Amino acid sequence: MSLDNLLGQVELRDKARVKKDINDTINLVGGVLPKIGTLIQNDGTEHRQITLSGTFQIIFRGQTYNIPLEIFVPSFYPHHPPKVYLRPTSNMIVGKNHRHAGSDGMVYLPILNSWSESKSIVELLRIMTEVFSECPPLYTKPPNYDPATYYGS
């Protein structure tokens, strides 16, 4: 399905800007594709949104790693920041007490708190690459992994 068709399926305040930023992101990263996703809020409400799903690369200690993620683009983007979630594969876990990633995979970075319409998904991904290359958010799942024990639930 074309990007224009996807954009037509959701409410967006600035479709032209969303289209530009998605195309810029695909050109930069290459490992993400747009689709329609459902973001479920903590209160149970659901929002159909454009998402970018796939991977971006980090380099940690000379090794390249592909970090799976999903970026939800809100209807008021770029006035509101995207929500970013790490999507670990079945053999991965989110690092315990990671400074920029919750145990649910939600990404927390200062750029998201100080978001303005002059910022973009490309800028966000560049910062994520830099930050996560210093301290990766995902790790190989250890043997006998138990989330309750690992995260202290």
Side-chain angles (χ1 to χ4, degrees), residues 3 7 12 14-15 24 27 37 39 49 51 55 60-61 69-71 80 87-88 91 97 108 126 138 141 146 153:
L3 180 54
L7 295 174
L12 293 167
D14 189 345
K15 284 186 184 184
D24 289 349
N27 290 333
L39 178 65
Q49 296 180 342
T51 66
T55 62
F60 179 68
R61 296 184 180 162
L69 82 161
E70 192 167 24
I71 301 171
H80 294 172
R87 297 297 191 207
N91 67 335
N97 299 319
Y108 299 95
R126 285 187 177 134
L138 300 177
K141 191 180 287 182
D146 175 16
S153 299

Side-chain angles (χ1 to χ4, degrees), residues 17 21 77-84 99-100 107-132:
R17 171 66 189 273
D21 282 8
Y77 180 87
H79 303 286
H80 294 172
K83 290 196 186 241
V84 183
R99 182 175 179 187
H100 298 293
V107 172
Y108 299 95
L109 288 167
I111 186 176
L112 295 168
N113 293 330
S114 63
W115 192 265
S116 68
E117 64 186 79
S118 66
K119 296 185 175 145
S120 69
I121 296 169
V122 166
E123 183 180 356
L124 170 63
L125 281 169
R126 285 187 177 134
I127 290 170
M128 286 174 58
T129 300
E130 182 180 313
V131 168
F132 291 149

